[in-house]
Amino acid sequence: MKKIFVLLLVTTQFVCAQEYEILFTKQVNNNDNIYSINQDGRIKQVTNHPRKDSSPMMSPDGGLMVFTSERKGWWKIWLMDLESEEFKQLTDASSAEYSPSWSPDGNQIVFVSSRNGGSEIFTMTKVGKAIKQISSGRNNTMPSWASNGRIYYSSQINGIYQIMSMKPDGSDQQQLSSGKGDKLMPQLSPDQGTMLYYGNFHGNMEIYKMDMSSGQVTRLTKNPLMDIRARWSPDGGLIVFERGNKRNDQQIYLMNADGSNLRALTRSGYNYTPSFAVKAD
């Protein structure tokens, strides 16, 4: 398979903004595999396995893809070389392991595992070595490794998921949100000024963003269906997310960073866990 590239796009909202292909999971005949889609709706299949593949994340250099899979047992973390199409299993604990995210330099991966009891956050090298637990004491999940070197994640505090951050060694843990409503899958913008997440503050899962300086929260979506698992494009100009009712009609959507120019990329079936591809060398 050839590496995934980006093109140039001119829209009414952004001049010379980049157009990125998007990785996502698509279920066909009850079988989940990883696909890519461009903003014209052209779909390409990336993995093809009878067991489930899901949650793809491309490495910063565009050469590797980390994902979760049930190829051997319950959900584990796997790696795919996008040039050679070779696969490597990175984790093999008896528990489910999921939500992988790359470090900014592409040398490490952060993920979630309950191998030591409870949902906790771990790090490892990109080849599955030096696995280390870096969180403890609560239900901790959905980590992302931001460009400022810190790891952001959701942690259950008094029954509500709040946004937390910490250094990659687990030190300097900071609570960044409070109040009612779960705040899930925090993603720091590339310019480090805005936190993207989804939550149920208004009674339904919607996409929000929080200004890192003022703490002001802006609601980006308003729909009776669930809007979940939002991610920034590498340039911070776009947001991809999924909308639907789970397991029946779940579609991949794209919008500008301010919530404008909302459009569906997929239109039928069960599609989930989108992430932006990055520019290949």
Side-chain angles (χ1 to χ4, degrees):
M1 172 188 164
K2 294 182 179 179
K3 290 184 178 180
I4 298 172
F5 292 86
V6 297
L7 305 173
L8 292 179
L9 170 70
V10 177
T11 72
T12 58
Q13 302 294 327
F14 293 97
V15 177
C16 295
Q18 287 182 308
E19 179 180 339
Y20 297 91
E21 289 199 10
I22 291 165
L23 297 170
F24 70 105
T25 309
K26 183 176 183 66
Q27 187 175 94
V28 179
N29 297 325
N30 204 36
N31 179 233
D32 298 28
N33 274 292
I34 294 168
Y35 291 73
S36 71
I37 186 170
N38 67 15
Q39 291 174 40
D40 293 327
R42 182 170 55 89
I43 294 178
K44 296 183 293 185
Q45 188 166 353
V46 179
T47 67
N48 185 7
H49 197 275
R51 302 298 297 272
K52 293 181 179 180
D53 292 336
S54 178
S55 305
M57 290 290 294
M58 187 180 286
S59 61
D61 67 1
L64 302 171
M65 182 182 73
V66 67
F67 63 102
T68 59
S69 181
E70 293 189 340
R71 294 174 179 228
K72 293 185 179 179
W74 205 5
W75 291 114
K76 300 292 175 288
I77 310 297
W78 283 70
L79 189 73
M80 178 183 181
D81 186 303
L82 293 171
E83 186 68 33
S84 67
E85 299 187 41
E86 295 178 349
F87 293 87
K88 178 180 176 62
Q89 184 176 354
L90 300 184
T91 65
D92 62 357
S94 59
S95 64
E97 298 176 307
Y98 50 94
S99 292
S101 176
W102 290 95
S103 63
D105 64 6
N107 290 325
Q108 296 186 78
I109 295 166
V110 64
F111 66 100
V112 176
S113 175
S114 55
R115 61 174 60 199
N116 294 334
S119 172
E120 299 294 351
I121 296 171
F122 291 73
T123 59
M124 63 181 169
T125 68
K126 66 180 180 181
V127 294
K129 303 297 183 182
I131 295 177
K132 178 183 177 182
Q133 182 176 335
I134 60 172
S135 71
S136 63
R138 305 187 185 101
N139 287 324
N140 300 294
T141 190
M142 297 183 171
S144 63
W145 208 320
S147 59
N148 64 1
R150 294 185 67 86
I151 292 172
Y152 295 84
Y153 59 103
S154 296
S155 183
Q156 195 172 44
I157 301 172
N158 297 324
I160 297 174
Y161 281 100
Q162 303 290 355
I163 297 172
M164 300 283 294
S165 77
M166 62 183 165
K167 293 181 178 179
D169 62 2
S171 65
D172 192 28
Q173 295 183 11
Q174 300 177 15
Q175 184 176 339
L176 304 181
S177 70
S178 60
K180 68 177 185 178
D182 291 328
K183 302 157 190 74
L184 298 166
M185 211 176 93
Q187 308 281 316
L188 188 65
S189 60
D191 67 5
Q192 303 177 18
T194 308
M195 185 66 66
L196 182 69
Y197 64 95
Y198 72 92
N200 56 4
F201 180 82
H202 291 94
N204 184 49
M205 288 297 181
E206 304 287 356
I207 310 299
Y208 299 84
K209 63 179 181 179
M210 179 177 69
D211 185 276
M212 294 296 287
S213 297
S214 67
Q216 181 178 352
V217 174
T218 302
R219 182 179 179 182
L220 296 179
T221 64
K222 185 178 181 180
N223 192 277
L225 296 173
M226 293 187 299
D227 292 334
I228 61 175
R229 291 193 275 222
R231 293 187 185 275
W232 295 105
S233 62
D235 65 358
L238 298 169
I239 295 170
V240 69
F241 66 99
E242 59 188 88
R243 169 176 288 176
N245 57 15
K246 300 286 282 184
R247 301 277 177 194
N248 181 15
D249 181 19
Q250 195 85 354
Q251 306 307 326
I252 308 301
Y253 277 74
L254 195 66
M255 63 182 171
N256 294 342
D258 62 359
S260 64
N261 197 21
L262 178 69
R263 60 271 199 199
L265 295 183
T266 63
R267 299 186 181 278
S268 64
Y270 181 40
N271 309 276
Y272 63 105
T273 62
S275 66
F276 283 95
V278 297
K279 186 176 181 179
D281 293 334

